[in-house]
Amino acid sequence: MTLSLDKTFAVNDPKNEWLVGNARLISFSGLLLGAHLAHAALILLWAGSFTLIEVTQVQPGIPLAEQGLTLLPHLALLGWGIGEGGLVTDTYPYVVVGMLHLVSSAVLAAGGLFHIVRGPAKLEEGQGSVSKFGYTWDNDRQLTLILGHHLLFLGAGALGLYLKATRWGGLYDGQLHQVRLIEPSTDPLRLLGYLAGQTPDGFSGWGLAAANNLEDIVGGHLLVAILLIGGGIWHILTPMLPVFKKIVRVEGEALLSYSLGGVAFMAFLSCAYVAHNDAAYPVDLFNDHRLGLANCQLLVGAIALIGHLWHAYRVLSGDGLKANSAAIGPSFKLEPSPKPSAPPSVKEQEPTVKANVVSTQSASPSEVRAVEP
């Protein structure tokens, strides 16, 4: 079977096409969903495969901080397979997590291929319930609905960490060198004070990364979960306010720019946590030499920031891609592979040879000399 492209999707010939990325798919909600699923599948594939690789390298009798691993310390921080002093006691939870990531990667990859090969290029033009998930960039009500569901998923993740820390086994405490249940801080003024650098010990320029105890960190996740879930419900139930329509550009490449700006902010914040915060990154698990890990976060943040500025410049200069309702999406189809034709047999070639011989015998000597070369 071969995969053939029936139609070439039409876009408005973007400048610097190789830098545009998935913005070229803003007219095709189905293809954009397929690209998102493919990206998520790659992330899960990396996480699952590298987790299993590190499981084969871990040495239970040596503190985890001394083994130079990247992913297992994060799982150990959640209290899985770790004992006192950062010693690994059980690798089975790590195998389960790695396999779950690989299975999820396969499911998402299949979903991405389906939406690219078999699904409609535009969800709004699909049949049945598929059309409910479509959108157009000028329909801000549908966009706020999608945003609301994204916030609900993010809030569920933050709430999951809170429940893991307080109900489902606890976290690894680097100060006590063991796993324990956390009693989170619930004072919103104390937690919000970190935004302005105000900590219980006084002012700190590290801001949010200055939280030096698990109680404040877990309490902050609870506060973030409440804000995200509340914001998700708000955006699902209410349309975009007129004041925001004047501030926010509701178009595909502009929203891509906003997203990259958010990724850059979180990467820079993570860099500060990795470099400074021993409560979130215990020395027992991550060692106290985390400069390389912090630099990786810094690099990711810098790349995302450059992407944010690049797409923002394109939008402000008028070169940004805009959705085209008349754009034609690609149509993929599977066709049987053509069978190779067999070479003619010797018997099939014999009559031609004999005919040539007969013709030369009946020809004059001069004609025969002309044929011989």
Side-chain angles (χ1 to χ4, degrees), residues 43-324:
I43 294 171
L44 288 172
L45 176 64
W46 174 86
S49 58
F50 271 72
T51 296
L52 296 180
I53 290 174
E54 290 190 0
V55 168
T56 63
Q57 298 176 347
V58 68
Q59 302 179 46
I62 300 176
L64 203 56
E66 300 178 10
Q67 301 191 41
L69 303 178
T70 302
L71 300 181
L72 294 194
H74 291 277
L75 299 179
L77 178 61
L78 296 174
W80 291 326
I82 198 72
E84 293 187 5
L87 294 176
V88 175
T89 59
D90 186 11
T91 59
Y92 179 72
Y94 308 147
V95 175
V96 172
V97 171
M99 292 304 301
L100 285 176
H101 278 75
L102 291 182
V103 173
S104 301
S105 172
V107 173
L108 290 178
L113 289 174
F114 172 82
H115 283 287
I116 293 174
V117 177
R118 300 297 300 274
K122 301 178 181 180
L123 296 176
E124 58 273 14
E125 296 179 357
Q127 299 178 354
S129 60
V130 175
S131 60
K132 297 180 181 179
F133 297 92
Y135 58 87
T136 55
W137 295 108
D138 56 353
N139 185 355
D140 58 89
R141 184 67 192 95
Q142 185 71 1
L143 295 179
T144 56
L145 188 68
I146 296 174
L147 172 61
H149 285 85
H150 277 72
L151 293 177
L152 288 181
F153 280 108
L154 292 174
L159 184 61
L161 179 61
Y162 165 79
L163 293 175
K164 176 65 180 72
T166 59
R167 300 287 187 273
W168 302 334
L171 303 178
Y172 185 86
D173 191 332
Q175 296 180 349
L176 299 179
H177 309 288
Q178 62 182 3
V179 179
R180 68 177 180 91
L181 292 175
I182 310 300
E183 293 292 335
S185 302
T186 56
D187 182 4
L189 295 178
R190 175 189 176 102
L191 298 175
L192 293 174
Y194 285 102
L195 291 172
Q198 296 298 325
T199 72
D201 301 326
F203 178 80
S204 173
W206 288 99
L208 288 173
N212 59 0
N213 58 86
L214 291 178
E215 285 73 16
D216 287 350
I217 293 176
V218 175
H221 278 79
L222 176 61
L223 179 60
V224 168
I226 294 173
L227 293 175
L228 288 173
I229 294 175
I233 295 174
W234 167 266
H235 284 293
I236 290 174
L237 299 178
T238 61
M240 179 180 285
L241 298 177
V243 62
F244 288 107
K245 292 183 180 180
K246 299 178 181 179
I247 301 174
V248 179
R249 287 178 177 260
V250 186
E251 52 186 275
E253 195 158 357
L255 294 182
L256 174 59
S257 174
Y258 300 148
S259 299
L260 289 171
V263 172
F265 171 77
M266 296 307 298
F268 292 142
L269 180 59
S270 175
C271 177
Y273 265 95
V274 173
H276 173 73
N277 197 302
D278 289 337
Y281 291 85
V283 176
D284 293 351
L285 305 181
F286 295 90
N287 210 324
D288 55 353
H289 303 293
R290 304 189 294 267
L291 182 60
L293 184 59
N295 285 336
C296 289
Q297 301 292 322
L298 182 63
L299 178 61
V300 171
I303 294 174
L305 179 60
I306 292 173
H308 162 71
L309 296 175
W310 163 252
H311 288 286
Y313 168 76
R314 284 174 50 83
V315 172
L316 295 175
S317 63
D319 292 334
L321 291 178
K322 294 179 174 58
N324 180 9

Side-chain angles (χ1 to χ4, degrees), residues 30-45:
L31 296 180
L32 191 58
L33 174 60
H36 275 65
L37 292 174
H39 288 166
L42 287 174
I43 294 171
L44 288 172
L45 176 64

